[in-house]
Amino acid sequence: MPEVSRSLYFPKTAKVEIHEIRDGIYRISGFVDDYGITFNQFLVNDEQPTLIHTGPIGMYEQIEQKVKEVIPLEKLAYVAFLHFESDEWGGMEFLKAPRARLVCSDLSSKLNLTGWANVPADHTSFWDNETLSTGRRKFRFIMTPHVHHWDSMMIFEETTKSLFPSDLFIQPGNNKPVMSDDLSDNMIKLYQAVGIFASEKPVRQTVERLAKLRPEMIYPMHGSCFDSSLFSKYAHALMKNQFAYTGMLLGQKLEVS
Ligand SMILES: [Fe+2]
Ligand SMILES: [Fe+2]
């Protein structure tokens, strides 16, 4: 059995950077060598500022510092996580901010937030297509079960047509905050190597639904942001390639025979 150091999973050494992408939406990103991907958080600076994903706890101090470059923590109104995983909301410390309220899917609420002793129970959950106004911005919650977790959801900000797809449209590497290069082949190879999707079907159903929203900017949790000109390429790659789990987990073959 391998010895595991928490430091591998709580990467305090990752250098975290912040860039405004557009429309008061900031990408707070750190590259983690062990995984070869960036971990991105998004701060939507509105009358009621919202943080989408918190990052793993090891990055917390740096991410908090970057949030404070834009707003005082006292202003932070919502902290949204899109499925129950440590990189999505390991930074629960943000909930110590006086106004910060946890936001999640109804499934995350029922499956995860109401059954643990030391997990904050106070939160607001959303069913599919419900919305939250934060001032000028309006978030629509899209339930995307099994892309890649049971409780997964995405957020579509309607006034700027911004899509926050969590782990969909992932790209490896430490690239620019916004990219115009098509890395969809790399995305497919990464999905094949890490095994995060049990099957293509729910992913493709979601891709078709997202296409109807006509997103103008896409903010993946891992990789670069890209605009509508690349969306169709990434969507096409997911529609035509096989990428579901076939025995590879985080780059390692699982021998089950
Ligand atoms: Fe995830
Ligand atoms: Fe993630």
Side-chain angles (χ1 to χ4, degrees):
M1 194 180 296
E3 293 286 319
V4 174
S5 162
R6 281 169 67 103
S7 63
L8 180 64
Y9 299 102
F10 295 84
K12 289 184 185 296
T13 53
K15 186 173 178 300
V16 174
E17 298 179 342
I18 184 167
H19 295 91
E20 183 175 5
I21 305 299
R22 57 162 74 158
D23 302 315
I25 302 174
Y26 294 80
R27 174 182 182 265
I28 302 172
S29 176
F31 179 71
V32 177
D33 282 322
D34 297 308
Y35 290 105
I37 54 175
T38 60
F39 289 73
N40 311 328
Q41 287 51 247
F42 299 101
L43 177 64
V44 182
N45 189 15
D46 196 10
E47 288 163 35
Q48 296 182 291
T50 301
L51 183 65
I52 300 175
H53 327 138
T54 64
I57 190 62
M59 285 188 185
Y60 178 77
E61 283 158 23
Q62 289 195 76
I63 294 169
E64 184 199 85
Q65 196 53 44
K66 296 300 178 190
V67 170
K68 288 198 292 197
E69 287 177 16
V70 183
I71 55 163
L73 267 193
E74 293 71 29
K75 255 192 98 180
L76 184 63
Y78 296 107
V79 179
F81 77 92
L82 304 183
H83 54 261
F84 195 86
E85 228 173 26
S86 62
D87 58 333
E88 303 280 342
W89 80 304
M92 281 188 283
E93 291 290 293
F94 278 111
L95 296 174
K96 290 180 179 166
R99 293 179 58 212
R101 182 153 188 88
L102 186 59
V103 165
C104 63
S105 74
D106 264 10
L107 264 285
S108 291
S109 172
K110 292 188 174 98
L111 299 172
N112 291 312
L113 290 186
T114 50
W116 303 81
N118 55 354
V119 166
D122 205 17
H123 59 275
T124 303
S125 67
F126 293 85
W127 189 252
D128 191 48
N129 261 327
E130 290 183 333
T131 59
L132 171 71
S133 290
T134 59
R136 290 175 302 142
R137 306 295 174 222
K138 185 178 179 189
F139 296 111
R140 181 169 296 277
F141 296 91
I142 303 167
M143 288 173 68
T144 58
H146 304 295
V147 184
H148 59 123
H149 286 287
W150 194 13
D151 62 332
S152 291
M153 72 170 180
M154 299 179 187
I155 289 177
F156 183 66
E157 199 291 301
E158 295 191 332
T159 66
T160 57
K161 293 192 169 290
S162 301
L163 175 65
F164 300 91
S166 182
D167 293 340
L168 197 59
F169 310 123
I170 192 170
Q171 315 120 52
N174 190 12
N175 299 309
K176 289 186 292 186
V178 180
M179 280 268 282
S180 52
D181 298 352
D182 176 9
L183 297 182
S184 58
D185 286 347
N186 306 51
M187 169 185 74
I188 295 294
K189 287 190 189 110
L190 186 64
Y191 284 147
Q192 290 166 342
V194 298
I196 74 168
F197 298 120
S199 116
E200 283 94 5
K201 191 173 175 186
V203 178
R204 289 177 179 161
Q205 285 174 336
T206 295
V207 167
E208 286 176 345
R209 185 175 175 195
L210 297 176
K212 289 183 188 138
L213 295 173
R214 299 186 173 279
E216 288 181 6
M217 198 70 190
I218 294 87
Y219 297 82
M221 189 183 173
H222 311 280
S224 302
C225 304
F226 55 88
D227 68 16
S228 55
S229 62
L230 274 183
F231 177 82
S232 58
K233 293 194 167 65
Y234 282 90
H236 184 67
L238 290 166
M239 299 307 279
K240 78 172 186 0
N241 290 290
Q242 303 292 312
F243 54 85
Y245 169 71
T246 54
M248 294 298 288
L249 290 171
L250 293 176
Q252 195 174 349
K253 181 80 179 159
L254 176 66
E255 304 289 356
V256 290
S257 57

